[in-house]
Amino acid sequence: MKQLVFLLVLSFIFMSKIYAQNGGTVRGNFQTTMQTYKSDSLIGATDAPEFVLLNSYANILYTNANFTAGMRYEGYFNTLQGYDTKNDGFGFPYRFLQYSADNFDITVGNFYEQLGNGLVFRTYEDKNIGYDNAMDGIRVKFNPHQGIYFTGIVGTQRYAFSKTDIGYSQVQNQGLIRAFDIEFSPNDAIDSLNDAKTRISFGYSFVSKYQKEQSQFITVNDTTYSLLMPQNVTAMSGRMNLSTGAFAFSGEFAYKFNDPSAENNYIYKPGTATFVNISFAKSGLGILLSAKRIDNFGFRSNRTATLSDLNINYIPDISRNHVYAFSAFYPYANQNTGEMGISSEITFKLKKNSFFGGKYGTDIRLNYSRMQDINKQQIDPNIEINQKGTDGYISDFFAIGKDIFYQDANIQINKKISKGFKFTVIYQNLIFNYGILRGEPEMQTVYANVGILDMTIKLKTKHYLRIEAEALFSEQDMGNWAMLSAEYTVSPHWFFSATDQYNYKNPNNQEAHYYNAAFGYKINATRLQFSYGRQRAGVVCIGGVCRAVPATNGFMFSLTSCF
Amino acid sequence: MKHLKYLIPFALVMFILNSCDKVTPPDGSLFYINDTVSASLNDTQNIAEKKVLIIDFTGIRCTNCPGAHEVLHQLENIYPDKIIPIAIHGTLLAYPTGEYITDLRTIQGNEIIDEFGINAIPIGLVDYFDKTYLSSEATWSDEVTTNLQEAPLFGIEIENTFNNTDNSLEVLVDLTSLSNFEQSLSLIVYLVEDSIITRQATNVSPGYIEEYEQMNVFRTAVSNLWGDTVFSEGSSENQTDTKTFNITLDNTWNANNCKIVAFICDNSNKVLNANSAKIK
């Protein structure tokens, strides 16, 4: 019903456009992906009883002076394999009205928001990983003076496609979120500091969630008890950004009170999260150092939620987000219950016309990241670490846990040889704790070496050939992989590609070719793509948030369009 | 008046700063528990008692599934004879491979899993037979506790007559309506087997248990898989009906460990009551 009223309001706005002097603007986009499924026992692909599955989205945004209204249609007929089937169905799960004037910005309905780095609050959506924790409620932004910014938020969160007559995001025993943020930037607030070389800003966020008590039982000495449940859980964080010349520093520290949940096995230890970034950038040289430590910091609006459901916060990922098939083969997955790590990256350019730089110069990128468990000690000799219903464990802030989760050392060289030829070379050495990061303790840690060569050749005006050769060597998991891909582009309209990923020396003797052929056509802002082939089972992670991708064999069609 | 708006953020802060509950364990305990044992339900109903159906979708290679079994076990301890579980083994994680040799999947179980679109386990259904209500094991305790407060809407009695010589089984299900219903209902009757020993993956080192006791394993539907219509004209209070089913047990099933599970659903697929009885 609420949706219907909203539609009427929106159509009224569009109607009024015809009569209004200034009609405002309408923008939007549409996307649909269809896939057929054929069972293929060699790679573990299954068929779909529906034969073809389809996910589609359409966003519409209307802006007129201070007023904005928007909505998104989502249709899953039925949901593509590898996405949450809770989504089956269709509707307008995202709609909002926004008005901004007089230092105020007011949004009602759905919205996405991030406070600071997201340690205590971040809602966002990413269709690639099937992630959407949109708020449904009210957001008020207020800036009483230059350099002082307030944000206030109340509402509930979207949970898949749960539909009831009270709204899309309503689920049984829904958690309620109240949040508040203040940011102060002296450089903007004080006139004499406006042009200072050193810039500084401070922020403070406060988030409280309420969820009604739920029964959880625990058996101690053969007697079953119910657990005490805090109904209101608070998290808060302080942050600072500082930059002077080529240096920049940003840091955030967050604290969360007792929050027993399915994710942390109902332990009551307060959580902490620390995130620090230091960067240096000068012509031709960039250095980035990041560190984070997460201790029991999953934060969800429903204490029984798991996977990527109903997250209130977001733990930033500091490992490199790779784009090539094999360098992204074993991506890092954030461990909200406990992780600590560092990451560093150096980028520099070898000058043009030097011995190594050549005619066009050479770009080099060195990257290293390592993630470990945090140190965990028993709270009592008789109580196991992470025992349900207790404080769980004691952790020394600076002590490093014994398990390595992930290590990635890589070097990338980008080089242009001539106007018609350029290439990228990557070497990567990887340690991947499969047991922890994919939740399958029986699996061995994977040690892998990856090499990638990506060449682009300009054949003639508007005709490009891109050849990608990749190899992954590992004695664990699925063994070795080799890949060759060729992509022919006639810009701006056409592209054709053919790829084969070959899995060999597979420890289970399941060697297989994963071939795929595709072509696409693009005109103005519309793009069609058609492909056929096998896709290997794996995991796609964006920013440490992951989705399992099942093996598939079949045709895929996608259409995207912007207007 | 002009400056009134500046009060808004401060009002917000005042509201929010008060919203935190900090709980403490009872004196001398490291556990954050209520001192009193919590399970106390009215056992005064004599016609029939409310029982709760839990369908547990599971698999031998699913590392998190023993966690769900533990929740079930805990519920059975705290609410004895009130929990009616059915474990349906399926999805890729029930597919036997390598050292996992036992196949507990069934064609009928797979049909349910396909129909409900289940691709990630453990997941389950508490007192529903509808994919809309699939829920993780973390919520089962809460759903069970809530549902057990409800009055029973149907009485279900099961009488099994097993013939050892030819493995044949006659199942009599007596239904008593305890309220008025203006809709037809469906009766679903399944056979499950306890104590099947298999290798099971776990999420604690070394990652598996060699001899794991699988309980309530779905073997076959006794009624139609999606249920048989009962009280097709609706039912009135105290109206009764009896359904009879005949099946023959597979030789590989141990009749001593087999149970019949019966539950009755309304047309929104909500389970009104459930019961189970051993075959022998």
Side-chain angles (χ1 to χ4, degrees), chain A residues 146-167:
Chain A
Q146 269 208 323
I148 302 173
Y149 310 93
F150 291 99
T151 306
I153 292 165
V154 288
T156 59
Q157 270 185 311
R158 177 174 180 199
Y159 175 66
F161 223 92
S162 293
K163 273 181 287 191
T164 67
D165 47 5
I166 35 175

Side-chain angles (χ1 to χ4, degrees), chain A residues 97-262:
Chain A
L97 301 170
Q98 186 177 10
Y99 181 78
S100 55
D102 301 337
N103 308 335
F104 274 100
D105 181 315
I106 298 168
T107 308
V108 295
N110 299 103
F111 55 87
Y112 297 109
E113 179 66 61
Q114 175 172 341
L115 305 180
N117 294 296
L119 290 183
V120 292
F121 188 91
R122 184 187 178 195
T123 56
Y124 70 106
E125 61 112 3
D126 191 326
K127 294 288 177 247
N128 293 310
I129 45 175
Y131 191 97
D132 188 350
N133 59 347
M135 287 293 291
D136 195 348
I138 303 168
R139 175 183 61 192
V140 179
K141 292 189 172 204
F142 174 48
N143 114 261
H145 187 278
Q146 269 208 323
I148 302 173
Y149 310 93
F150 291 99
T151 306
I153 292 165
V154 288
T156 59
Q157 270 185 311
R158 177 174 180 199
Y159 175 66
F161 223 92
S162 293
K163 273 181 287 191
T164 67
D165 47 5
I166 35 175
Y168 282 94
S169 61
Q170 291 292 336
V171 289
Q172 201 186 0
N173 197 2
Q174 176 78 315
L176 183 66
I177 300 168
R178 293 74 53 100
F180 171 80
D181 184 81
I182 175 169
E183 187 155 308
F184 174 56
S185 162
N187 298 85
D188 295 336
I190 303 163
D191 289 344
S192 61
L193 295 177
N194 282 173
D195 300 318
K197 191 183 161 209
T198 303
R199 301 191 69 82
I200 191 163
S201 72
F202 303 95
Y204 173 79
S205 313
F206 184 98
V207 182
S208 166
K209 69 158 173 179
Y210 166 79
Q211 192 194 14
K212 204 176 66 148
E213 234 184 330
Q214 287 165 298
S215 303
Q216 271 300 324
F217 300 113
I218 181 174
T219 311
V220 185
N221 301 329
D222 297 329
T223 312
T224 302
Y225 298 93
S226 70
L227 290 178
L228 295 167
M229 282 293 159
Q231 301 193 111
N232 291 287
V233 175
T234 291
M236 49 185 132
S237 86
R239 60 182 187 270
M240 188 181 99
N241 290 315
L242 172 73
S243 67
T244 173
F247 279 102
F249 166 88
S250 81
E252 181 165 356
F253 177 77
Y255 183 88
K256 181 166 66 86
F257 288 93
N258 48 197
D259 183 18
S261 68

